[in-house]
């Protein structure tokens, strides 16, 4: 079974990219984030196209912001929108949807950004992650939590740790919250499979960040042990970030039981211009 996660940063804008990608990669289960579509708009835009490709859909969206979905050709049962007990800001947001696909509980999440350390948005992010952890810990198993976590797990998951000083996504409380989620028995399957590789999933649109490979790894697939043991390939489809009109995120693809494209490495195709030296580049928003 091929499982993928992708922050599409507006499904309506990304439609010319998403449908050909589905046809090329043939994923069995796809977790989408930042769809930015209410549920009825999602169905109107994509319902027929997805049905023709054999996908059942669980969407939890809102107009303009947020929005998550699960597309599945491997069954779609016991759909639940949201995270029980999760805080709103100030109202609950469309940031999680879960369903059982071929015996695996799949949870598609779009974790709050946090914006500025110690802000109200930041505290909301930490509280939301705590609620997610409680929900996942309560079961059922086996489970996969995947999506845009808006957290780089370690310094190895950003192009230059010095560039992120004072920024969200890398602060100790955020990383601790992610580690607490993993501590209930989840495995970061991409990093487990490629422990020493340079792997990113997000590159800012500005300042040529993608072409210089100045990115972050914030889109994760976290799997319980029974699922992690089935992983035969785990990789980032960097090709989907190339060309015209891409999302600023690339899909992450995990193959269970068999690897139809082979164990092809963490990133496809390879980074164009990796930067190794620290303090050699800045974030676009830096002064």
């Amino acid at each position: 079974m091929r499982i993928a996660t992708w922050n599409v940063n507006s499904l309506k804008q990304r439609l010319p990219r998403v449908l050909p990608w589905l046809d090329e990669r043939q994923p069995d289960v796809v977790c989408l984030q930042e769809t930015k579509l209410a549920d009825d708009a999602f169905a109107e835009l994509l319902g027929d196209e997805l049905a023709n490709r054999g996908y059942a859909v669980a969407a939890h969206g809102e107009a303009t912001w947020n929005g998550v979905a699960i597309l599945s050709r491997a069954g779609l049962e016991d759909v639940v929108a949201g995270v029980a007990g999760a805080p709103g800001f100030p109202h609950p947001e469309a940031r999680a949807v879960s369903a059982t696909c071929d015996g695996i509980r799949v949870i598609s999440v779009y974790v709050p950004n946090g914006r500025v350390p110690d802000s109200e948005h930041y505290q909301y992010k930490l509280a939301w992650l705590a609620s997610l952890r409680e929900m996942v810990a309560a079961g059922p198993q086996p489970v996969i939590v995947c999506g845009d976590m808006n957290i780089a797990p370690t310094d190895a998951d950003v192009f230059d740790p010095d560039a992120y000083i004072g920024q969200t996504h890398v602060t100790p409380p955020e990383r601790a919250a992610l580690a607490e989620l993993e501590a209930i028995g989840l495995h970061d399957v991409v990093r487990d499979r490629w422990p020493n590789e340079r792997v990113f999933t997000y590159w800012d649109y500005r300042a040529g960040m993608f072409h210089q490979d100045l990115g972050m790894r914030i889109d994760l697939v976290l799997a319980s042990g029974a699922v992690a043991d089935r992983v035969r390939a785990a990789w980032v489809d960097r090709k989907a970030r190339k060309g015209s009109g891409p999302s600023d995120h690339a899909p992450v693809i995990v193959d269970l039981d068999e690897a139809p494209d082979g164990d092809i490495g963490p990133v496809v195709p390879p980074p164009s211009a990796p930067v190794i030296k620290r303090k050699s580049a800045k974030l676009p928003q830096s002064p």
Side-chain angles (χ1 to χ4, degrees), residues 4 14 39 70 79 81 93 95 111 114 177 180 203 214-215 258 275:
R14 231 55 65 195
D39 294 349
I70 299 173
V79 174
E93 297 179 312
R95 292 190 174 274
V111 174
E180 288 170 4
W203 302 261
L214 305 179
E258 60 180 359
V275 175

Side-chain angles (χ1 to χ4, degrees), residues 208-252:
M209 299 290 277
F210 176 67
H211 300 291
Q212 300 175 76
D213 199 37
L214 305 179
M216 311 175 73
R217 190 176 73 94
I218 57 177
D219 303 88
L220 308 181
V221 177
L222 307 178
S224 60
V227 180
D229 289 345
R230 295 171 58 188
V231 173
R232 297 295 176 266
W235 45 289
V236 178
D237 190 0
R238 194 173 181 273
K239 178 182 176 183
R241 180 61 173 80
K242 287 179 170 285
S244 61
S247 171
D248 44 2
H249 298 250
V252 180

Side-chain angles (χ1 to χ4, degrees), residues 25 29 37 43 65 107 110-112 119 133 142 168 172 191 227 231 256:
R25 297 304 187 194
V29 178
L37 286 174
W65 307 105
I107 307 173
Y110 178 42
V111 174
S119 67
R133 181 189 184 280
T168 55
R191 186 52 78 198
V227 180
V231 173
L256 305 182

Side-chain angles (χ1 to χ4, degrees), residues 79-112:
V79 174
V80 175
V83 173
F89 196 82
H91 306 292
E93 297 179 312
R95 292 190 174 274
V97 65
S98 53
T100 300
C101 307
D102 195 22
I104 300 173
R105 193 65 180 169
V106 177
I107 307 173
S108 177
V109 301
Y110 178 42
V111 174

Side-chain angles (χ1 to χ4, degrees), residues 1-4 22 25-30 54-56 70-75 101 254-256 258 260:
M1 184 163 66
R2 170 165 286 180
I3 300 173
L22 290 173
R25 297 304 187 194
Q26 293 291 313
D28 299 295
V29 178
V30 184
Y55 288 105
I70 299 173
L71 320 179
S72 177
R73 301 191 300 193
C101 307
V254 172
D255 290 318
L256 305 182
E258 60 180 359

